[in-house]
Amino acid sequence: MKDNKKEFLGLLCGIYMIFVMAVLPLYTGGGYYMIGDNKYYMFRNVSLFCLGVWLAAEIFFAIYYFIEQRMWRSMGKMRIKGHISLSAVDYLMLAYSVFNLLSLCLSKYRNTAFFGYRDWYMGAMSQLIFVGIYFFVSRRYDGKAYPIYSAEAALFIVIIIGFANRLGMDPLSMYTGYSVNDWEYSHMLSTVGNINWLCSYIADAVPICIAGYLYCCCASKNSGRAVKRRILFAINALAIAFLFMHGSDAGMFLAAACIGLCLLSGRLKEYKRHFNIFFKQGLLLAGAAMFTVAVIGTVIVLRGDVKATPNDSIIQGLLGEPVWWAVSAFFFAAYFAYCCGNEKGKHIIRALLLIIAAATGLLVIYWYIVRLFKSDIYAYSSGRADIWLAALEGFARAPIWQKITGAGADCFAEYIYSLTDIALPEVTEGYWEGAIFANAHNEWLTQLINTGIAGTAAYAGIFISAAVRYKGIFAGLLVIILYFINSTVSFQQVMNAPMFFMLLGICESRVRSRAE
């Protein structure tokens, strides 16, 4: 019976993982119209079914084992003993659930706090589903590779379709009914939709491919791993290039973080024995990604398809520029020099790259801060910084109990717009005329308004405890860092939050299996 339970729940978990990491990103509902709603309702219904079956099965087997043990004990046999072990991440997940429920109970906007704000649906029900995903996967994932392969395949398909869109092609007829001058033509992309949603999805998915690639490079050589290594190299190079090119400014920071983590993670004691491999492969990936940007950018300019990229993004003005060729050549040259050089030469290359990276990083951060506070991030608003300041003002004006428990999950707009004299950016023209901000475009400020200090502290605790517990799992470390970077300028939605909690569940499953 125990083997049947393990096999059944392992299969259910694997199928559900494929749904979240592969089916959901590729599902469109037929077009871009209401694509977010279509994805969410599909996610919610399938999740409630799978999690419901899991819980029902756990209850059934618990009752069965209880009766069985009573029978064995009555016959004088030894009782089978068991225990429930919880990690720090488990406790913080439970605390996050409790604070979301508390926020729901105390919210003035009960309906929104439960179901979520329209078009976003990140209410308490969704938050509980996310936590349920973590516990389901952490306890019932059997370690088989097929869900991971499906996630890697889905990422590749999403990127290929996205590049085709940027080249002015529409293989899925998603742009039917839209002209090249419409907002959708430049801001909706591939099978995910909004470029910000797509950026968040890649931040979750690409760590799986990068970690898998580096594992193949570090593991013993065989023909199977050689083929997998080449496939993952191509997916990673395309993914990093796509982060640069797809149109969301945050993508450039995520792409740079992917490269930087490959170059620097070998300094951590958990990966120190693989430092040279990590460093070389980081250089090679960077060179290939920059080369891809250079080639595709040049093709876009030659084809005259620049309108396929957002005119309010950084990348449009950089397409086809020689700088991409130069940067690509620099990384390839550094790679070959590192491979051929002696230890002294390698040390010089590492020091030179560190200096260049630090100087470039500081300049980019300074430039972005200036851009953030002194110019338009969106063509339809006065800047993301204004939303942040409005969120901080709204938090300061909340009563003490609301500061602690929040206005309710996904109730940012309900609360902020109830403060009629707050300085919120207004959308007075263009595609988004009359629109409102459903969140702060910063996940932490949104959490602060929605779930208060208590919920935000629990959420932060999840990140911190997970980083400590999963530091030996490169994919886990990478996804935590990339998700955090993206969360500072983005928001929870159906294409990033479920997969993030699922990946944490995979990491927890691996840690628990090692401890057994």
Side-chain angles (χ1 to χ4, degrees):
M1 182 64 78
K2 282 188 176 181
D3 289 340
N4 292 337
K5 171 190 174 184
K6 185 176 181 180
E7 184 178 351
F8 168 71
L9 292 179
L11 178 62
L12 178 66
C13 183
I15 293 172
Y16 181 64
M17 289 171 67
I18 292 174
F19 164 73
V20 171
M21 297 195 293
V23 176
L24 192 62
L26 297 176
Y27 174 71
T28 65
Y32 287 132
Y33 179 71
M34 301 291 286
I35 187 172
D37 289 57
N38 292 334
K39 283 181 181 290
Y40 174 76
Y41 287 127
M42 182 181 179
F43 160 75
R44 184 196 66 185
N45 295 339
V46 173
S47 296
L48 289 175
F49 174 78
C50 290
L51 294 177
V53 171
W54 167 55
L55 290 175
E58 295 286 7
I59 293 169
F60 168 79
F61 283 112
I63 294 172
Y64 175 84
Y65 292 139
F66 176 76
I67 295 172
E68 183 184 55
Q69 287 181 1
R70 290 286 297 272
M71 292 175 63
W72 277 87
R73 187 171 60 175
S74 66
M75 296 169 61
K77 303 293 184 180
M78 183 180 294
R79 184 178 180 183
I80 301 172
K81 295 182 179 179
H83 67 280
I84 298 174
S85 61
L86 296 176
S87 67
V89 182
D90 294 341
Y91 282 115
L92 286 160
M93 286 284 182
L94 293 172
Y96 182 64
S97 301
V98 169
F99 291 134
N100 269 280
L101 288 172
L102 180 62
S103 180
L104 167 66
C105 294
L106 299 178
S107 176
K108 298 177 182 177
Y109 322 102
R110 195 73 56 82
N111 190 66
T112 300
F114 182 73
F115 292 104
Y117 198 77
R118 65 179 186 273
D119 299 330
W120 301 101
Y121 311 110
M122 292 293 107
M125 180 172 66
S126 294
Q127 303 303 323
L128 293 176
I129 290 175
F130 301 155
V131 174
I133 290 172
Y134 164 80
F135 279 106
F136 181 29
V137 174
S138 66
R139 268 57 180 181
R140 290 303 168 191
Y141 175 45
D142 56 14
K144 292 180 180 176
Y146 63 89
I148 305 301
Y149 292 156
S150 72
E152 294 166 345
L155 176 63
F156 176 71
I157 294 170
V158 167
I159 289 170
I160 292 300
I161 296 172
F163 272 128
N165 294 155
R166 283 290 173 255
L167 288 167
M169 294 179 279
D170 186 16
L172 301 181
S173 300
M174 297 289 284
Y175 295 110
T176 302
Y178 302 111
S179 73
V180 296
N181 295 314
D182 288 334
W183 181 89
E184 288 83 359
Y185 185 72
S186 58
H187 287 78
M188 302 294 280
L189 198 60
S190 191
T191 59
V192 175
N194 187 295
I195 56 174
N196 293 318
W197 289 39
L198 181 55
C199 188
S200 299
Y201 158 70
I202 297 175
D204 282 349
V206 76
I208 302 172
C209 294
I210 291 177
Y213 171 69
L214 292 176
Y215 169 77
C216 288
C217 293
C218 296
S220 57
K221 301 292 187 291
N222 62 53
S223 58
R225 285 206 180 97
V227 173
K228 182 181 177 182
R229 185 173 68 249
R230 292 187 181 96
I231 293 172
L232 289 176
F233 176 81
I235 295 175
N236 288 324
L238 289 170
I240 294 171
F242 193 59
L243 281 171
F244 274 106
M245 297 191 67
H246 78 292
S248 173
D249 293 351
M252 293 193 169
F253 290 92
L254 294 173
C258 288
I259 296 169
L261 287 167
C262 289
L263 296 175
L264 299 176
S265 292
R267 290 296 187 189
L268 299 175
K269 66 178 182 179
E270 289 80 12
Y271 315 107
K272 211 155 196 174
R273 67 187 184 278
H274 300 311
F275 173 75
N276 281 328
I277 295 175
F278 277 35
F279 195 85
K280 285 191 297 184
Q281 298 308 320
L283 293 174
L284 188 60
L285 278 172
M290 297 303 100
F291 180 77
T292 304
V293 173
V295 171
I296 295 180
T298 301
V299 173
I300 289 174
V301 172
L302 292 177
R303 285 173 55 91
D305 294 319
V306 177
K307 281 190 175 181
T309 57
N311 60 10
D312 56 345
S313 70
I314 304 167
I315 190 62
Q316 190 178 79
L318 297 175
L319 290 174
E321 292 295 319
V323 64
W324 300 108
W325 298 101
V327 174
S328 174
F330 169 78
F331 277 114
F332 280 134
Y335 170 75
F336 287 114
Y338 194 82
C339 290
C340 301
N342 56 27
E343 193 56 41
K344 183 178 179 181
K346 291 179 179 179
H347 180 76
I348 293 172
I349 291 171
R350 289 196 296 263
L352 179 62
L353 284 170
L354 183 61
I355 293 170
I356 293 173
T360 304
L362 289 173
L363 286 173
V364 169
I365 290 171
Y366 171 76
W367 168 82
Y368 192 74
I369 290 173
V370 171
R371 173 177 167 82
L372 187 67
F373 283 93
K374 293 190 177 181
S375 65
D376 289 355
I377 292 297
Y378 305 111
Y380 56 86
S381 79
S382 60
R384 187 179 265 118
D386 289 343
I387 314 172
W388 296 355
L389 293 173
L392 290 172
E393 183 181 349
F395 177 76
R397 292 169 57 177
I400 185 64
W401 62 266
Q402 187 174 314
K403 285 184 172 69
I404 297 171
T405 63
D410 214 14
C411 289
F412 178 88
E414 298 276 18
Y415 169 64
I416 290 295
Y417 284 90
S418 70
L419 307 173
T420 54
D421 58 338
I422 201 167
L424 270 169
E426 296 181 2
V427 187
T428 57
E429 60 182 358
Y431 180 87
W432 291 102
E433 182 178 359
I436 64 174
F437 296 96
N439 56 67
H441 286 259
N442 176 297
E443 207 166 302
W444 301 95
L445 289 175
T446 304
Q447 284 282 358
L448 194 62
I449 293 294
N450 291 344
T451 60
I453 296 172
T456 306
Y459 194 57
I462 291 172
F463 280 77
I464 296 168
S465 61
V468 173
R469 185 165 171 81
Y470 311 143
K471 61 184 177 181
I473 303 172
F474 190 69
L477 183 67
L478 194 59
V479 76
I480 291 166
I481 293 173
L482 292 185
Y483 189 94
F484 175 77
I485 292 172
N486 190 62
S487 72
T488 60
V489 293
S490 192
F491 38 79
Q492 280 188 340
Q493 32 79 10
V494 72
M495 285 311 307
N496 68 344
M499 188 182 292
F500 176 66
F501 280 81
M502 179 166 284
L503 291 171
L504 293 184
I506 294 173
C507 293
E508 179 67 22
S509 174
R510 289 190 60 183
V511 172
R512 294 173 70 86
S513 64
R514 290 174 182 176
E516 291 178 353

